Amino acid sequence: MNTQSRTTRIERDPMYNLERELKIRGFSRKTIKAYLYYNRKFLNFARKSPKEIANEDIKRYLEYLANKKVSNATLSLAINALKFYYTQVLKRKFFFDIKHPKKEKRLPVVLTKDEIKRMLEVTANLKHKLLMEIMYASGLRVSEIIKLKIKDIDLEEGIIRVNLGKGKKDRQTILSKRAIEDLKIYFQKRNDENPYVFPGAQNKGHLSTRSIQKIVLQAAKLADIKKDISCHSLRHSFATHLLEKGVDIRYIQKLLGHKRLETTQIYTKVSTQKLKEIGSPLD
């Protein structure tokens, strides 16, 4: 009975084996969702079964996405999703001649120290203020701060332990004295047993990514900041300001949890400190 039900499900949903393989290999929930999304969209576009798909079908779909003006990063994600399914799950061999588009070399949006100060000053809610303080003071990703637990913070040492961050790796990062003092006040006011530092609605689970995005964008709006910022801008600012302070880039790499130094070196291109020290020929 169970075997028949399972077989029926596989026949009904060709993505079943893909989802199972992604879970077995330990892919993140976000990646699993994206890979399933692009494979389903592709099959709807091609109107064929996975076994009937040819190289030309995939190229037509990628051309369709390109015509919709999606970013090169989105195109690469779609290629990775399709390539994994057809080569790793279905063991098809036709896919290897499809190249990834060139990466867009956009500079990260960085806030000034004054802008961050204004965002914190206009935020009356202590919980919301702490969110931004820690993202900036410790360089955390949104996915890391929503999962941050009380036991991961050492207030005495001023250290945060990030468990299974991007790439499934643990790391440690710093915590500011100001954030420590605010955390002490915040924890004293808490009267629940939720293990997360930032609980969700009615103290269940943790805050969602969407909730944190709204908090950051609202603070930027109240602070009259015109830049096109995101939650990640606080992390970008953390790295840039440490670099301008003279901290060795390899230490910054470790604090951010970057696998490659080249990823961290992008902040040398957005730091304005050295640019300010160069005199313009007009002056």
Side-chain angles (χ1 to χ4, degrees):
M1 186 71 177
N2 290 338
T3 303
Q4 185 179 0
S5 175
R6 181 170 170 271
T7 303
T8 304
R9 183 184 172 189
I10 293 172
E11 290 173 350
R12 187 172 66 248
D13 184 6
M15 295 295 101
Y16 175 80
N17 283 334
L18 171 60
E19 184 175 4
R20 182 174 63 176
E21 188 67 24
L22 289 166
K23 287 179 178 177
I24 289 171
R25 297 201 189 188
F27 281 74
S28 70
R29 187 184 305 174
K30 184 178 179 181
T31 300
I32 293 172
K33 183 179 179 181
Y35 277 29
L36 291 172
Y37 173 83
Y38 283 109
N39 273 286
R40 286 193 175 112
K41 285 290 185 181
F42 168 61
L43 289 177
N44 288 337
F45 174 85
R47 296 187 178 183
K48 293 181 179 180
S49 73
K51 292 182 180 179
E52 297 172 320
I53 293 299
N55 207 46
E56 188 59 31
D57 295 316
I58 295 172
K59 288 186 175 180
R60 284 195 304 109
Y61 178 62
L62 295 175
E63 183 183 19
Y64 161 75
L65 290 179
N67 288 338
K68 288 182 66 178
K69 307 296 183 184
V70 301
S71 68
N72 286 358
T74 297
L75 272 176
S76 282
L77 178 59
I79 291 171
N80 286 336
L82 297 173
K83 186 173 183 178
F84 183 88
Y85 181 48
Y86 288 96
T87 62
Q88 300 295 313
V89 179
L90 297 184
K91 308 299 181 184
R92 301 286 300 276
K93 302 296 182 184
F94 63 84
F95 199 87
F96 295 104
D97 66 331
I98 296 177
K99 306 298 182 183
H100 284 264
K102 289 183 178 180
K103 286 187 177 180
E104 296 163 329
K105 297 181 179 179
R106 294 180 180 272
L107 293 177
V109 177
V110 174
L111 294 157
T112 66
K113 293 178 181 178
D114 180 66
E115 287 171 334
I116 291 171
K117 181 181 177 183
R118 279 159 40 203
M119 286 175 65
L120 296 175
E121 286 176 345
V122 298
T123 305
N125 185 297
L126 178 58
K127 179 179 177 180
H128 295 175
K129 182 187 288 188
L130 261 174
L131 270 167
M132 293 185 289
E133 281 183 357
I134 295 176
M135 279 192 285
Y136 172 60
S138 308
L140 297 189
R141 301 177 177 93
V142 177
S143 59
E144 294 168 344
I145 198 159
I146 63 174
K147 296 176 183 176
L148 185 65
K149 293 184 176 180
I150 296 171
K151 66 179 179 63
D152 299 328
I153 299 178
D154 188 333
L155 294 176
E156 295 300 318
E157 296 295 327
I159 295 292
I160 287 179
R161 178 182 174 85
V162 181
N163 293 304
L164 297 178
K166 191 173 181 180
K168 302 288 184 181
K169 292 183 178 180
D170 294 347
R171 75 177 191 279
Q172 289 185 326
T173 186
I174 56 177
L175 187 61
S176 75
K177 292 178 180 178
R178 174 175 173 173
I180 290 172
E181 293 307 311
D182 285 343
L183 277 168
K184 288 179 179 178
I185 297 170
Y186 174 68
F187 288 147
Q188 285 174 356
K189 292 183 177 181
R190 288 268 302 266
N191 57 358
D192 59 85
E193 296 182 0
N194 192 309
Y196 292 103
V197 177
F198 301 108
Q202 299 178 335
N203 284 327
K204 294 180 180 179
H206 54 66
L207 277 179
S208 66
T209 299
R210 188 182 296 273
S211 295
I212 296 178
Q213 288 170 341
K214 287 181 179 178
I215 291 167
V216 172
L217 293 178
Q218 177 66 11
K221 182 179 179 180
L222 291 174
D224 196 31
I225 294 170
K226 307 300 184 184
K227 294 176 180 176
D228 185 19
I229 74 161
S230 66
C231 295
H232 222 60
S233 298
L234 293 168
R235 177 174 158 90
H236 292 322
S237 304
F238 164 82
T240 305
H241 296 165
L242 284 183
L243 190 66
E244 291 179 343
K245 193 177 177 181
V247 177
D248 188 286
I249 195 167
R250 293 189 182 275
Y251 285 121
I252 299 173
Q253 177 191 1
K254 296 294 183 185
L255 293 172
L256 292 173
H258 285 163
K259 184 177 180 181
R260 300 168 64 245
L261 182 62
E262 288 80 0
T263 306
T264 317
Q265 286 175 330
I266 186 67
Y267 297 109
T268 62
K269 298 179 181 179
V270 294
S271 173
T272 59
Q273 191 63 40
K274 293 297 180 183
L275 291 177
K276 292 176 183 178
E277 293 174 5
I278 301 173
S280 168
L282 176 62
D283 295 335

